[in-house]
Amino acid sequence: MSAFCLLTLAGALLWRSEAPDITLRWTHSVQKTTWEEVWRREGDHLLLAEARIEGSGAGMEPPPEARKQGRFWVWSPLLRVPEVQLAQSGAAGAWALCDVADCFRPQAAAQLIVCQP
C-alpha cells in the first residue's frame, strides 16, 4: 500500500503518513490568513482535491466556483502532479502537513511524494 512521504531535498525521509488525505497548511505572507490544501494519493501521483483560503487579496483570489464555508472559501482544483516541492520563505512562517493523527512542521525545504512500502 502506498503512503505520503516527505523527503529532504537529498532524499532522506522526514515524515510518512498512511492517511488517505493530508492537509498542507500555511499562512499567506502578505494577507496573514490561512491557506489549506487537501492532497490525496492517486496511483503514483498526488491529487489536489480541495483548496481553502480565509480571505482574498494579494494574488489569492478564490476562483468563481469557490463557495463560502464558515471562515473559508473552498473549491476543488483537481490538480494531479507527481510531487509537490515545499519551501520555507521566512515571510509566511512555517507550513505544516497534517493527517488524522498529528501535524508535522519541517524546518527546511522538502518534497512531498507518493511512496511505496
Coordinates of all heavy atoms in Angstrom, one line a residue, residues 6-40:
L6 N 7.4 12.6 3.0 CA 8.0 13.9 2.9 C 9.5 13.7 3.0 O 10.0 13.1 3.9 CB 7.5 14.8 4.0 CG 8.0 16.3 3.9 CD1 7.4 17.0 2.7 CD2 7.7 17.0 5.2
L7 N 10.2 14.1 1.9 CA 11.6 13.8 1.8 C 12.4 15.1 1.9 O 11.9 16.2 1.4 CB 12.0 13.1 0.5 CG 11.2 11.9 0.2 CD1 11.6 11.4 -1.2 CD2 11.4 10.8 1.2
T8 N 13.6 15.1 2.4 CA 14.5 16.2 2.3 C 14.9 16.3 0.8 O 14.7 15.4 0.0 CB 15.8 16.1 3.1 OG1 16.6 14.9 2.6 CG2 15.5 15.8 4.6
L9 N 15.5 17.4 0.4 CA 15.9 17.6 -1.0 C 17.0 16.6 -1.3 O 17.2 16.3 -2.5 CB 16.4 19.0 -1.2 CG 15.2 20.0 -1.1 CD1 15.7 21.4 -1.4 CD2 14.0 19.7 -1.9
A10 N 17.7 16.0 -0.3 CA 18.7 15.0 -0.5 C 18.1 13.6 -0.5 O 18.8 12.6 -0.8 CB 19.8 15.1 0.6
G11 N 16.8 13.5 -0.3 CA 16.1 12.2 -0.4 C 15.9 11.5 0.9 O 15.4 10.4 0.9
A12 N 16.3 12.0 2.1 CA 16.1 11.4 3.4 C 14.6 11.5 3.8 O 14.0 12.6 3.6 CB 17.0 12.0 4.4
L13 N 14.0 10.5 4.4 CA 12.7 10.5 4.9 C 12.5 11.4 6.1 O 13.2 11.2 7.1 CB 12.2 9.1 5.1 CG 10.7 9.0 5.6 CD1 9.7 9.4 4.5 CD2 10.4 7.6 6.1
L14 N 11.6 12.4 6.0 CA 11.3 13.3 7.2 C 10.0 12.8 7.9 O 9.9 12.9 9.1 CB 11.1 14.7 6.7 CG 12.3 15.5 6.2 CD1 11.9 16.8 5.6 CD2 13.3 15.7 7.4
W15 N 9.0 12.4 7.1 CA 7.7 12.1 7.6 C 7.0 11.2 6.7 O 7.2 11.3 5.5 CB 7.0 13.5 7.7 CG 5.6 13.5 8.3 CD1 5.2 13.3 9.6 CD2 4.3 13.6 7.6 NE1 3.9 13.4 9.8 CE2 3.3 13.6 8.6 CE3 4.0 13.8 6.3 CZ2 2.0 13.8 8.2 CZ3 2.7 14.0 6.0 CH2 1.7 13.9 6.9
R16 N 6.1 10.3 7.2 CA 5.4 9.4 6.4 C 4.0 9.3 7.0 O 3.8 9.3 8.2 CB 6.1 8.0 6.4 CG 5.4 7.0 5.6 CD 6.1 5.6 5.8 NE 5.3 4.6 5.1 CZ 5.6 4.1 3.9 NH1 6.6 4.5 3.2 NH2 4.9 3.1 3.4
S17 N 3.0 9.2 6.1 CA 1.6 9.1 6.6 C 0.8 8.1 5.7 O 0.9 8.2 4.5 CB 0.9 10.4 6.6 OG -0.5 10.2 6.9
E18 N 0.1 7.2 6.3 CA -0.7 6.2 5.6 C -2.1 6.8 5.4 O -3.0 6.1 4.8 CB -0.7 4.9 6.3 CG 0.6 4.3 6.6 CD 1.2 3.5 5.5 OE1 0.5 3.0 4.7 OE2 2.4 3.3 5.5
A19 N -2.4 7.9 6.0 CA -3.8 8.5 5.9 C -4.2 8.7 4.4 O -3.4 8.9 3.6 CB -3.8 9.9 6.6
P20 N -5.5 8.6 4.2 CA -6.0 8.7 2.8 C -5.8 10.1 2.3 O -5.7 10.3 1.1 CB -7.5 8.3 2.9 CG -7.8 8.4 4.3 CD -6.6 8.2 5.1
D21 N -5.9 11.1 3.2 CA -5.8 12.5 2.8 C -4.8 13.2 3.8 O -4.8 12.8 4.9 CB -7.1 13.3 2.9 CG -8.2 12.8 2.0 OD1 -7.9 12.2 1.0 OD2 -9.4 13.0 2.4
I22 N -4.1 14.2 3.3 CA -3.4 15.1 4.2 C -3.7 16.5 3.9 O -4.1 16.8 2.8 CB -1.8 14.8 4.2 CG1 -1.3 15.0 2.8 CG2 -1.5 13.4 4.7 CD1 0.2 15.1 2.7
T23 N -3.5 17.4 4.8 CA -3.7 18.8 4.6 C -2.4 19.6 4.8 O -1.7 19.4 5.8 CB -4.7 19.4 5.7 OG1 -6.0 18.6 5.5 CG2 -5.0 20.8 5.5
L24 N -2.1 20.3 3.7 CA -0.9 21.3 3.8 C -1.5 22.6 4.2 O -2.4 23.1 3.6 CB -0.3 21.3 2.4 CG 0.8 22.4 2.2 CD1 2.0 22.1 3.1 CD2 1.2 22.4 0.7
R25 N -0.9 23.2 5.2 CA -1.4 24.5 5.8 C -0.3 25.5 6.0 O 0.8 25.1 6.4 CB -2.1 24.1 7.1 CG -2.6 25.3 7.9 CD -3.2 24.9 9.2 NE -4.3 24.0 9.0 CZ -4.4 22.8 9.7 NH1 -3.5 22.5 10.6 NH2 -5.4 22.0 9.4
W26 N -0.5 26.7 5.6 CA 0.4 27.8 5.8 C -0.3 29.1 5.9 O -1.5 29.2 5.7 CB 1.5 27.8 4.7 CG 1.0 28.3 3.4 CD1 1.1 29.6 2.9 CD2 0.4 27.5 2.4 NE1 0.5 29.6 1.6 CE2 0.1 28.4 1.3 CE3 0.1 26.2 2.2 CZ2 -0.5 27.9 0.1 CZ3 -0.5 25.7 1.1 CH2 -0.8 26.6 0.0
T27 N 0.4 30.1 6.3 CA -0.1 31.5 6.4 C 0.4 32.3 5.3 O 1.6 32.3 5.0 CB 0.3 32.1 7.8 OG1 -0.2 31.3 8.8 CG2 -0.2 33.5 7.9
H28 N -0.5 33.0 4.6 CA -0.1 33.8 3.4 C 0.8 34.9 3.9 O 0.5 35.6 4.9 CB -1.3 34.4 2.8 CG -1.1 35.1 1.5 ND1 -0.7 36.4 1.4 CD2 -1.1 34.6 0.2 CE1 -0.5 36.7 0.1 NE2 -0.8 35.6 -0.6
S29 N 1.9 35.2 3.2 CA 2.9 36.1 3.7 C 2.5 37.6 3.7 O 2.9 38.3 4.5 CB 4.2 36.0 2.8 OG 3.9 36.3 1.5
V30 N 1.5 38.0 2.9 CA 1.1 39.4 2.8 C -0.2 39.5 3.6 O -0.3 40.4 4.5 CB 0.9 39.8 1.4 CG1 0.3 41.2 1.3 CG2 2.2 39.8 0.6
Q31 N -1.2 38.7 3.3 CA -2.5 38.8 3.9 C -2.6 38.3 5.3 O -3.5 38.6 6.1 CB -3.6 38.1 3.1 CG -3.8 38.6 1.7 CD -4.3 40.0 1.7 OE1 -3.7 40.9 1.2 NE2 -5.4 40.3 2.3
K32 N -1.6 37.4 5.7 CA -1.6 36.8 7.1 C -2.8 36.0 7.4 O -3.3 36.0 8.5 CB -1.4 37.9 8.2 CG -0.1 38.8 7.9 CD 1.1 37.9 7.9 CE 2.3 38.8 7.8 NZ 3.5 38.2 7.2
T33 N -3.4 35.4 6.4 CA -4.5 34.5 6.5 C -4.1 33.0 6.2 O -3.1 32.8 5.5 CB -5.7 34.9 5.6 OG1 -5.3 35.0 4.3 CG2 -6.2 36.3 6.0
T34 N -4.9 32.1 6.6 CA -4.6 30.7 6.4 C -5.0 30.2 5.0 O -6.0 30.6 4.5 CB -5.4 29.8 7.5 OG1 -5.0 30.3 8.8 CG2 -5.1 28.4 7.3
W35 N -4.1 29.4 4.5 CA -4.4 28.7 3.2 C -4.2 27.2 3.5 O -3.2 26.9 4.1 CB -3.3 29.2 2.2 CG -3.6 28.7 0.8 CD1 -3.6 27.4 0.4 CD2 -3.9 29.4 -0.4 NE1 -3.8 27.3 -1.0 CE2 -4.0 28.5 -1.5 CE3 -4.0 30.8 -0.6 CZ2 -4.3 28.9 -2.7 CZ3 -4.3 31.2 -1.9 CH2 -4.5 30.3 -3.0
E36 N -5.1 26.4 3.0 CA -5.0 25.0 3.2 C -5.3 24.3 1.9 O -6.1 24.7 1.1 CB -6.1 24.5 4.2 CG -5.9 25.0 5.6 CD -6.9 24.6 6.6 OE1 -8.0 24.0 6.2 OE2 -6.6 24.7 7.8
E37 N -4.6 23.1 1.7 CA -4.8 22.3 0.5 C -4.9 20.9 1.0 O -4.1 20.4 1.9 CB -3.6 22.3 -0.4 CG -3.4 23.7 -1.0 CD -2.2 23.8 -1.9 OE1 -1.3 22.9 -1.9 OE2 -2.1 24.8 -2.7
V38 N -5.9 20.1 0.5 CA -6.1 18.7 0.9 C -5.6 17.9 -0.3 O -6.1 18.1 -1.4 CB -7.6 18.4 1.1 CG1 -7.8 16.9 1.4 CG2 -8.1 19.3 2.3
W39 N -4.6 17.1 0.0 CA -4.0 16.2 -1.0 C -4.4 14.8 -0.8 O -4.5 14.3 0.4 CB -2.5 16.4 -0.9 CG -2.0 17.7 -1.4 CD1 -1.8 18.8 -0.7 CD2 -1.7 18.1 -2.7 NE1 -1.4 19.9 -1.5 CE2 -1.3 19.4 -2.7 CE3 -1.7 17.4 -4.0 CZ2 -0.9 20.1 -3.9 CZ3 -1.3 18.0 -5.1 CH2 -0.9 19.4 -5.1
R40 N -4.6 14.0 -1.9 CA -4.9 12.6 -1.9 C -3.9 11.9 -2.7 O -3.4 12.4 -3.7 CB -6.3 12.3 -2.4 CG -7.4 12.8 -1.5 CD -8.8 12.3 -2.0 NE -9.7 12.9 -1.0 CZ -10.8 13.6 -1.4 NH1 -11.0 13.9 -2.7 NH2 -11.5 14.1 -0.5

